[in-house]
Structures are given as C-alpha cells and as structure tokens.
Amino acid sequence: MLNCTLLDDYQNMALSLTDWSSLRPAVQTRSLQQHIADDETLIATLADSDIFSEAVEDIAAWLHHQPLRSLL
C-alpha cells in the first residue's frame, strides 16, 4: 500500500472535496491541517509517505498571487 499525505490542508477539506475511494486499497490518504515550517519535523512527518502534495486551496491561493509570466 502507498501512503499519500496532503500538506497544509488548513480548512480540513481536501479529503471531502473529491472521491478518494477509487484509490483504495492501493493508496491510503491523510491530510495535515497545520503547516510544518521546520525541515526536520517535515522530513520526519513525511518519512512514511510515498506521495505528498499541498492541499488544493494552498495551490489556488498561490496561483492567485503569482503574475502570469512567472508561471510560463
């Protein structure tokens, strides 16, 4: 089984925004609501994760504040 961790899910909504059941039983998913700024703590937290990503609202907020040219 693969472990997937969703980072910075501040609103605790990432697991409810989509149907993750299609990944089971191959992937177990968890979300972390708190931001982990310390590198050592982040590494330890993700040690058992095979997949990790930032939560959707974090990416959307980042894209909203970036000039379009910086994305090209």
Side-chain angles (χ1 to χ4, degrees), residues 1-4 23-29 48-51:
M1 175 184 329
L2 296 173
N3 291 310
C4 174
L23 300 176
R24 281 185 245 137
V27 179
Q28 178 178 337
T29 314
D48 66 340
S49 297
D50 303 293
I51 306 163

Side-chain angles (χ1 to χ4, degrees), residues 5-71:
T5 302
L6 304 170
L7 299 167
D8 301 335
D9 183 15
Y10 305 117
Q11 297 177 13
N12 196 23
M13 294 188 61
L15 295 178
S16 64
L17 290 175
T18 192
D19 181 9
W20 296 89
S21 66
S22 64
L23 300 176
R24 281 185 245 137
V27 179
Q28 178 178 337
T29 314
R30 69 176 175 157
S31 72
L32 302 176
Q33 289 75 49
Q34 72 282 359
H35 176 73
I36 302 173
D38 177 68
D39 289 346
E40 288 183 25
T41 304
L42 182 61
I43 291 167
T45 301
L46 297 176
D48 66 340
S49 297
D50 303 293
I51 306 163
F52 56 89
S53 177
E54 288 197 272
V56 174
E57 69 265 13
D58 221 36
I59 294 169
W62 180 83
L63 287 174
H64 178 72
H65 295 290
Q66 299 301 311
L68 185 56
R69 272 192 301 232
S70 71
L71 300 175

